[in-house]
Amino acid sequence: MSDYQQFIANVKRKTGIDLALYKEAQMKRRLTSLYEKKGFKNFDEFFRAMNHDQALFHEFLDRMTINVSEFFRNAKRWEVLEKKIIPKLLEKNKRLKVWSAACSTGEEPYTLAIILSKFMPLSQVSVLATDIDDNAMARAKLGIYMERSLQEVPEDVKKKFFVKEGSHYKIIDDIKRTVTFKKHNLLADPFDTNFDLIVCRNVLIYFTEEAKHELYLKFNRALRPGGIFFVGSTEQIFNPAAYGFEVEDTFFYRKM
């Protein structure tokens, strides 16, 4: 087993992230330049140092993944969710069934859990978070984020739900426990049903019109009557009635 292959095995054991899923030449080059910059001679030295140096471990995570998500992304929409949508949903059901679809590195489901915790004890908060990317979900389960991912997070929320570790923030375990991560392919896998709220933001823009059409119908079927579908700020549905939805608010659609 080569030095790099051993490193891959060690990283997978430590984090759940499988570097073998990335193009080897590219990833190896990226990480070699990092360990050389830090003064290490090989991957073995680098891994051993990472085990004892949290800042180095965080730097490795940042070099390895490109994080484009953030907490409370488009904050005004999350405000509508908190002030208008969730109170209405709670009038019908005291325990909400919630799904964060295509959750990437976890910022979205954790944001949902933080908002829901304002309405109920954390023991009653439950969010299903799914994605097709194993590595994104492994990163989500670690719950470690760069400062820029928290730029929309109010200061009181930051203090209550995050622990600062050097230049990074770690989501507290009480919030982590409310989110269940599961691998799921939106186009190929069946959807669960009876959700009160489905959040799928900044994902559908990457699909063809045909795929979007199919997904809107699948999301509608996955909701209870009166359930809400929350999409991203570039993903307005122009003919919601064709999919069994009506507009509840901008980027929020209610199942008819």
Side-chain angles (χ1 to χ4, degrees):
M1 191 185 280
S2 76
D3 180 33
Y4 181 63
Q5 284 167 330
Q6 185 60 57
F7 179 76
I8 288 175
N10 290 338
V11 166
K12 188 167 185 189
R13 209 163 32 245
K14 180 178 171 72
T15 66
I17 292 164
D18 188 358
L19 292 174
L21 297 175
Y22 294 104
K23 288 178 182 166
E24 182 172 325
Q26 208 175 359
M27 183 56 69
K28 198 172 174 182
R29 191 167 58 245
R30 198 187 292 181
L31 295 176
T32 301
S33 80
L34 175 62
Y35 81 59
E36 285 176 346
K37 189 177 92 175
K38 296 291 177 184
F40 301 109
K41 293 187 179 69
N42 53 45
F43 280 105
D44 182 49
E45 269 188 21
F46 180 43
F47 182 78
R48 277 188 283 135
M50 252 175 24
N51 265 337
H52 302 294
D53 183 343
Q54 214 164 45
L56 184 64
F57 175 55
H58 292 160
E59 204 169 334
F60 156 72
L61 288 175
D62 295 338
R63 181 64 63 99
M64 189 206 72
T65 57
I66 298 156
N67 188 355
V68 291
S69 190
E70 58 188 66
F71 290 86
F72 294 89
R73 187 174 182 179
N74 312 116
K76 292 281 179 220
R77 296 296 90 209
W78 290 100
E79 211 173 289
V80 171
L81 180 73
E82 182 181 333
K83 300 282 195 292
K84 177 181 175 181
I85 305 294
I86 289 175
K88 273 177 103 169
L89 290 173
L90 285 169
E91 285 171 15
K92 293 184 190 167
N93 291 306
K94 289 296 164 213
R95 295 288 289 264
L96 299 181
K97 188 174 178 182
V98 179
W99 177 21
S100 170
C103 68
S104 185
T105 44
E107 290 89 338
E108 181 178 281
Y110 290 139
T111 299
L112 275 167
I114 288 167
I115 290 172
L116 288 166
S117 76
K118 297 179 182 184
F119 295 90
M120 60 192 80
L122 276 173
S123 59
Q124 289 176 25
V125 175
S126 177
V127 178
L128 171 67
T130 65
D131 202 274
I132 196 170
D133 184 340
D134 287 313
N135 282 332
M137 283 194 296
R139 183 82 198 261
K141 288 174 191 172
L142 286 173
I144 297 167
Y145 298 94
M146 294 176 77
E147 194 145 11
R148 68 164 182 261
S149 294
L150 281 80
Q151 56 192 7
E152 297 267 20
V153 179
E155 207 51 49
D156 59 325
V157 172
K158 210 182 278 187
K159 284 197 176 83
K160 187 173 180 183
F161 296 107
F162 295 86
V163 177
K164 197 166 189 321
E165 295 186 344
S167 61
H168 288 68
Y169 287 85
K170 188 168 188 175
I171 193 99
I172 62 167
D173 287 343
D174 285 352
I175 288 291
K176 278 167 84 170
R177 278 192 283 270
T178 67
V179 180
T180 303
F181 290 97
K182 187 176 159 192
K183 186 167 184 172
H184 183 266
N185 181 334
L186 287 174
L187 295 175
D189 294 334
F191 287 16
D192 198 358
T193 54
N194 288 320
F195 287 103
D196 298 285
L197 172 64
I198 298 174
V199 181
C200 185
R201 307 182 74 226
N202 311 302
V203 177
L204 295 171
I205 44 169
Y206 299 110
F207 290 112
T208 64
E209 287 307 310
E210 293 75 20
K212 266 195 269 193
H213 174 84
E214 184 57 37
L215 284 169
Y216 290 147
L217 292 169
K218 285 171 83 172
F219 280 126
N220 182 278
R221 288 194 291 269
L223 285 161
R224 303 178 193 271
I228 295 290
F229 181 42
F230 177 21
V231 301
S233 54
T234 54
E235 297 172 322
Q236 200 163 352
I237 305 174
F238 292 106
N239 51 342
Y243 307 105
F245 288 114
E246 56 191 0
V247 176
E248 178 71 15
D249 204 297
T250 314
F251 309 118
F252 291 92
Y253 300 90
R254 187 178 351 102
K255 177 174 177 167
M256 293 194 284

